[in-house]
Amino acid sequence: MKEHGMIAERLFREGYNCAQAVLLAFCDETGLDEKTAAMLASSFGGGLGRLREVCGTVSAAAMVLGMLKGYADPSDREAKKAHYRLVREFAERFKEQNGSIICRELLKGVIVSEGGDPEVRTKDYYEKRPCPMLARCAAQILDEMLEQ
């Protein structure tokens, strides 16, 4: 099995946001160059611009699934249905392992600064939040699904 999970966790710890960490970890599979992947995923950190909605790791996983298993023909209803089932399967597996796909629920009990500005990455920042492990988890689920 590939080690995208370890790569995603490392990238998050290097300072990339949660979505960037997952999408960047899969550049070898998607064919995206690192700059494009980082820029594409940059808006999705913190549950979409720190709104604490859908976890950025889940959004990035959906991007990976779209690039590798998505559809392009808007009239192909069967491909669309199959792809949405795949995305829902990912979300269900992530939720099963982590309790939610919603950022604010995943961070419940973690004191976070108010507002939209990202927090400074310190040792305490990494110790108090599950984000590095969530990036690892999302990438591991993707690896399992892509091997099937």
Side-chain angles (χ1 to χ4, degrees), residues 53-56 58 90-92 94-95 99-103 105-106:
E53 297 297 337
V54 172
C55 174
V58 174
F90 173 87
E92 196 55 42
F94 186 90
K95 186 175 182 178
S100 181
I101 65 167
I102 304 299
C103 178
E105 294 172 4
L106 293 164

Side-chain angles (χ1 to χ4, degrees), residues 47-134:
L48 187 63
R50 231 166 159 256
L51 290 170
R52 303 294 186 223
E53 297 297 337
V54 172
C55 174
T57 68
V58 174
S59 295
M63 288 184 242
V64 171
L65 289 171
M67 290 208 61
L68 300 178
K69 303 280 188 178
Y71 67 96
D73 180 353
S75 65
D76 189 344
R77 291 185 39 79
E78 290 308 309
K80 187 175 190 176
K81 285 181 356 185
H83 182 65
Y84 285 1
R85 276 193 301 269
L86 194 63
V87 172
R88 287 193 309 271
E89 178 188 342
F90 173 87
E92 196 55 42
R93 289 171 74 168
F94 186 90
K95 186 175 182 178
E96 195 174 274
Q97 292 185 37
N98 299 291
S100 181
I101 65 167
I102 304 299
C103 178
R104 72 178 149 275
E105 294 172 4
L106 293 164
L107 292 178
K108 190 171 185 147
V110 175
I111 298 170
V112 296
S113 65
E114 293 297 316
D117 293 339
E119 293 181 55
V120 176
R121 300 283 183 99
T122 63
K123 184 178 182 223
D124 184 53
Y125 172 94
Y126 291 111
E127 287 177 359
K128 72 179 182 179
R129 64 189 54 236
C131 305
M133 300 319 305
L134 295 172

Side-chain angles (χ1 to χ4, degrees), residues 10-55:
R10 177 181 51 79
L11 290 166
F12 184 83
R13 291 184 186 281
E14 287 177 7
Y16 288 102
N17 75 33
C18 49
Q20 288 173 318
V22 173
L23 189 58
L24 279 162
F26 282 87
C27 282
D28 65 323
E29 299 285 338
T30 64
L32 287 172
D33 65 88
E34 290 181 7
K35 181 178 180 184
T36 300
M39 291 179 73
L40 179 62
S42 64
S43 301
F44 295 88
L48 187 63
R50 231 166 159 256
L51 290 170
R52 303 294 186 223
E53 297 297 337
V54 172
C55 174

